[in-house]
Amino acid sequence: AQSVTQLDSHVSVSEGTPVLLRCNYSSSYSPSLFWYVQHPNKGLQLLLKYTSAATLVKGINGFEAEFKKSETSFHLTKPSAHMSDAAEYFCVVSRAGGGADGLTFGKGTHLIIQP
Amino acid sequence: DAGVIQSPRHEVTEMGQEVTLRCKPISGHDYLFWYRQTMMRGLELLIYFNNNVPIDDSGMPEDRFSAKMPNASFSTLKIQPSEPRDSAVYFCASRRMGLGYTFGSGTRLTVV
């Protein structure tokens, strides 16, 4: 069994300041972890993924996430927020290497960027 | 590579009508997934196929929902009869073992 908890339903930051979106997971298996972004009325776009290689994962648009097994966390960060980052972000877990279970999504964090 | 293609993008139908959502996965991908997104429940896996065979349909909410994959390049999700609580965005995704998932743009279904 696996689950994902996104600790904040909404995060608001000012443009140019750092972004931190928090995610904790639980998994009976060695997990693969992902962050997806969904802009309003758009589909899901993969930001980055962790698949048991380097624990610090760099993604698109300046985002990165660090896998911390001891804390069962996979928080998403960006040094400087841009207005175009305003969107819904989903932390996702799946069994490593397996498509057999599909993906388990967190509830999402709505990122608001203040000008 | 055109990605995962879903149709229609938007569907508005009356309660009781049959609705069919369509998905064309990426060529060579052997897994196909149907997800539903609502405000209340977030993103939920409804069903997935491997090599056109349904593997796990435990997420399908009730018998009104059915999904088929007659060949490797086409899948449908059907709701009959539709109800207002079925209103949601339905996503299709595909992947090849060992590679990442690719999502379609979704179908926004409104049942009035």
Side-chain angles (χ1 to χ4, degrees):
Chain A
Q2 54 198 24
S3 66
V4 174
T5 302
Q6 291 184 243
L7 299 167
D8 306 293
S9 60
H10 292 79
V11 169
S12 180
V13 302
S14 298
E15 188 175 21
T17 65
V19 175
L20 170 63
L21 305 184
R22 298 182 295 166
C23 172
N24 288 106
Y25 70 92
S26 67
S27 177
S28 304
Y29 309 96
S30 179
S32 290
L33 292 157
F34 310 79
W35 276 97
Y36 280 85
V37 61
Q38 185 179 28
H39 287 93
N41 300 313
K42 301 288 187 184
L44 291 152
Q45 181 184 20
L46 179 66
L47 273 180
L48 50 81
K49 62 181 178 181
Y50 165 78
T51 55
S52 75
T55 56
L56 182 61
V57 182
K58 294 189 184 299
I60 61 172
N61 300 335
F63 284 94
E64 61 182 38
E66 186 171 8
F67 173 72
K68 292 186 177 180
K69 186 175 181 179
S70 61
E71 299 176 9
T72 61
S73 69
F74 191 58
H75 302 332
L76 181 71
T77 60
K78 182 173 180 177
S80 177
H82 191 273
M83 293 300 290
S84 61
D85 295 328
E88 191 83 13
Y89 291 78
F90 295 94
C91 183
V92 184
V93 63
S94 79
R95 192 165 62 179
D101 293 345
L103 301 173
T104 300
F105 282 77
K107 296 291 188 186
T109 297
H110 186 56
L111 178 62
I112 300 163
I113 311 296
Q114 306 281 1
Chain B
D1 180 3
V4 176
I5 300 172
Q6 292 186 245
S7 64
R9 290 296 305 275
H10 302 273
E11 176 80 37
V12 180
T13 190
E14 291 185 347
M15 183 174 64
Q17 296 298 307
E18 177 180 294
V19 175
T20 300
L21 311 181
R22 297 172 176 79
C23 176
K24 176 178 168 56
I26 291 175
S27 177
H29 282 195
D30 52 359
Y31 284 88
L32 183 140
F33 304 84
W34 282 100
Y35 288 88
R36 178 173 68 175
Q37 183 180 34
T38 61
M39 289 292 292
M40 291 296 294
R41 302 173 69 92
L43 272 149
E44 305 170 280
L45 176 64
L46 298 178
I47 184 172
Y48 77 91
F49 297 82
N50 179 216
N51 292 323
N52 313 338
V53 176
I55 303 300
D56 183 356
D57 65 355
S58 60
M60 297 285 262
E62 47 195 280
D63 291 345
R64 297 184 296 105
F65 286 68
S66 63
K68 294 182 179 180
M69 192 166 185
N71 57 62
S73 59
F74 184 64
S75 176
T76 60
L77 178 67
K78 186 176 294 185
I79 309 173
Q80 166 63 19
S82 58
E83 297 183 2
R85 60 195 169 111
D86 302 330
S87 297
V89 180
Y90 292 81
F91 287 100
C92 177
S94 71
R95 69 166 289 183
R96 195 167 72 197
M97 178 66 79
L99 298 180
Y101 296 76
T102 301
F103 281 81
S105 297
T107 295
R108 182 175 296 276
L109 174 64
T110 303
V111 183
V112 298

